[in-house]
Amino acid sequence: MPSTRRSGALAAALSQSALIQPGERVLVAFSGGPDSTALLLGLREAGHDVVAAHFDHALQPGSEMVAAHASRVCASLGITLMAERRTSPMPKGSVQAAARSLRYDFLERCAGEVGASRIALGHTADDLVEGTVMHLLRGCGIAGLRGMPATRGRFVRPLLGVWRAEVLAFLDERGVVALEDPANSNLRYRRVSVRRELLPALERGRPGITRRIFAVASRAAGLQERIERTAAAAIESGAVSTSALRAMSEPVAAETLRVLYHRSGGPDPSLGRNHIAAMLELVRGGPGGRGLDLPGGRRFRVVDSRAQVLPRVTHWMEVSLQVESCPGCGEPDAAHLRKGLQLRIGFRQPGLRMRPAGGAGSRKLQDIFVDAKVPREERDAWPLVFAGERLAWVPGVAVDRELESPPGESALHVTVTRILAAGRPPKAQMLESPDSPRGESS
């Protein structure tokens, strides 16, 4: 019989956890294995409103039998189960990474459908230690040393302080039999070899080392939380000064850059150590230009004294020009041009000039871009609005004073929208320089 202390550890962890609040609807990622089964039962016994979600990756023979088992368990408990089986080809690259991405996308969709504010994952203290060791093997910082975070967005891991032996004792006490994923015996996967070979060998040579690694990971998690709070406080309006970044310790500066990236819409996780190192090199004024392409269609740039991450501007964006009649509104993201003009979209070419509103005389487009601090690498892809062959409007920067309609008069209401080739609209419709004001009248 399992000891009461062991079998009660899981229930105690859930009752003491602040990750899930009373009354919150929780979606449990339910694989049918011991950890997720114990999590589902534990949360239900604790009185939480739970819904289960099972994703069949269709990678193992007999995976449909696992899905049927998950359905039977939920039916016996009176718990709603949302299930889905992969039918499309696996994305290229790492099978485990692709499976994880598909699974997490499924969980996010399910949570939205059932109104769950939290998605609970069944990772345990053993998983945390394995994660720490894997990160150490390939090299990591403080974030990697913690093994895995207890929270990320709406995802929570309430069992990170519970050991696998305590999970099995919890199930044994209730007479519950869970399934073991055959992939957990496949030594081709690094996590499995760490679990079945490396950690047992370390434990034989240094008894208790698994628990000591867990203690180190826990201290790293606390330090990483403080780093994340400091980084979040350093960012204002989506940008941070390079002088502030240079004054930070390297872990805080690196985390600040990660936050900038994720706030711009970059996927999580996606930035590697090489990306962060290259970004820090630009901040410090190192060689290599003032911009850097990042994963997820993002670009890091240093303009004047500010570091920013923005949607990447490329020629592969579709640009749409919208023109309609207007009585003379004050919309700041539109240009108001004189009626009767034949407008079209174009791009930079040699010799372009304009008479910007609010300025004196004619100016080269090149000089207008420089004054607006538009990065050099973005200028060729910046859409321009022409009236015939004459440059009428540089969206977000300047408008021709002779083609601009006087305030309050009936005019052509002109806007420019850019759409990524994949069909995803960027965060802002207008292409603008965030480092300087728009042209006065646009």
Side-chain angles (χ1 to χ4, degrees):
M1 289 290 293
S3 71
T4 303
R5 184 181 66 81
R6 272 196 169 187
S7 62
L10 187 144
L14 291 178
S15 67
Q16 296 166 12
S17 174
L19 298 178
I20 302 172
Q21 299 301 315
E24 283 187 311
R25 170 163 279 198
V26 185
L27 182 76
V28 178
F30 183 43
S31 68
D35 299 341
S36 64
T37 300
L39 176 61
L40 186 67
L41 287 171
L43 288 173
R44 183 175 180 273
E45 291 178 8
H48 290 287
D49 179 12
V50 295
V51 177
H54 177 85
F55 185 73
D56 181 357
H57 302 90
L59 293 173
Q60 300 287 340
S63 63
E64 66 278 0
M65 297 176 63
V66 177
H69 168 81
S71 179
R72 287 194 298 271
V73 170
C74 289
S76 69
L77 295 172
I79 294 175
T80 299
L81 173 68
M82 305 185 75
E84 184 174 293
R85 179 181 173 85
R86 178 182 64 85
T87 56
S88 59
M90 287 288 288
K92 293 181 180 180
S94 164
V95 172
Q96 286 189 311
R100 179 186 184 278
S101 178
L102 292 173
R103 182 172 65 253
Y104 276 55
D105 286 346
F106 164 71
L107 293 172
E108 288 276 18
R109 284 189 280 110
C110 288
E113 289 178 23
V114 302
S117 55
R118 292 287 182 270
I119 302 173
L121 307 175
H123 297 107
T124 65
D126 297 83
D127 295 305
L128 185 144
V129 170
E130 292 160 10
T132 295
V133 171
M134 289 170 63
H135 293 152
L136 284 171
L137 288 174
R138 61 175 177 253
C140 69
I142 295 169
L145 192 60
R146 65 182 169 170
M148 59 183 66
T151 65
R152 177 171 282 156
R154 72 169 95 184
F155 289 92
V156 295
R157 297 182 170 99
L159 300 185
L160 285 184
V162 180
W163 295 92
R164 191 164 291 130
E166 295 167 337
V167 166
L168 297 177
F170 177 88
L171 294 175
D172 191 30
E173 186 179 68
R174 288 155 179 77
V176 175
V177 177
L179 298 181
E180 280 290 351
D181 185 350
N184 289 335
S185 301
N186 191 339
L187 293 175
R188 290 189 299 110
Y189 296 131
R190 178 173 294 181
R191 180 176 289 277
V192 176
S193 84
V194 167
R195 176 182 302 171
R196 291 180 170 265
E197 296 181 334
L198 180 55
L199 280 172
L202 290 173
E203 208 40 66
R204 286 192 297 271
R206 293 288 187 272
I209 194 170
T210 299
R211 301 247 173 187
R212 292 195 289 275
I213 294 173
F214 177 82
V216 170
S218 298
R219 289 194 288 272
L223 180 56
Q224 180 64 20
E225 286 179 10
R226 292 194 290 276
I227 289 172
E228 290 175 358
R229 286 197 298 269
T230 303
I235 298 174
E236 297 179 2
S237 303
V240 63
S241 71
T242 53
S243 59
L245 283 165
R246 288 193 291 268
M248 295 174 183
S249 66
E250 186 161 318
V252 174
E255 184 60 32
T256 301
L257 293 175
R258 289 191 187 94
V259 174
L260 276 177
Y261 173 74
H262 296 315
R263 287 191 182 182
S264 79
D268 183 20
S270 190
L271 289 184
R273 293 193 302 275
N274 290 340
H275 294 122
I276 295 296
M279 294 164 79
L280 288 172
E281 187 70 16
L282 286 182
V283 167
R284 292 167 182 149
R290 307 302 286 165
L292 175 71
D293 287 339
L294 300 174
R298 295 299 182 269
R299 183 169 179 82
F300 175 70
R301 70 183 193 182
V302 175
V303 179
D304 199 10
S305 62
R306 302 173 73 193
Q308 299 173 319
V309 179
L310 300 170
R312 194 182 308 156
V313 179
T314 74
H315 278 302
W316 300 107
M317 288 181 171
E318 298 176 5
V319 180
S320 174
L321 175 67
Q322 297 88 38
V323 182
E324 56 189 29
S325 182
C326 172
C329 72
E331 183 181 329
D333 287 339
H336 294 88
L337 303 178
R338 295 183 183 277
K339 284 196 165 185
L341 298 175
Q342 298 299 311
L343 304 177
R344 64 178 178 86
I345 285 286
F347 293 91
R348 188 166 73 150
Q349 52 191 284
L352 285 180
R353 303 182 70 90
M354 171 192 272
R355 295 179 180 272
S362 174
R363 303 196 65 208
K364 294 179 180 179
L365 176 61
Q366 167 74 11
D367 295 336
I368 293 172
F369 274 146
V370 170
D371 288 350
K373 297 184 177 64
V374 176
R376 181 181 292 106
E377 69 273 8
E378 295 183 10
R379 295 171 192 169
D380 285 341
W382 202 278
L384 308 171
V385 176
F386 290 83
E389 297 303 315
R390 181 171 176 175
L391 180 58
W393 182 37
V394 183
V397 178
V399 64
D400 189 291
R401 67 171 180 262
E402 294 178 355
L403 300 182
E404 177 190 29
S405 178
E409 288 191 9
S410 181
L412 295 178
H413 181 100
V414 186
T415 56
V416 171
T417 304
R418 60 187 173 112
I419 302 175
L420 299 178
R424 293 180 292 112
K427 283 190 171 294
Q429 283 191 325
M430 297 307 304
L431 291 167
E432 58 180 292
S433 167
D435 302 288
S436 61
R438 294 181 175 83
E440 286 189 10
S441 56
S442 65

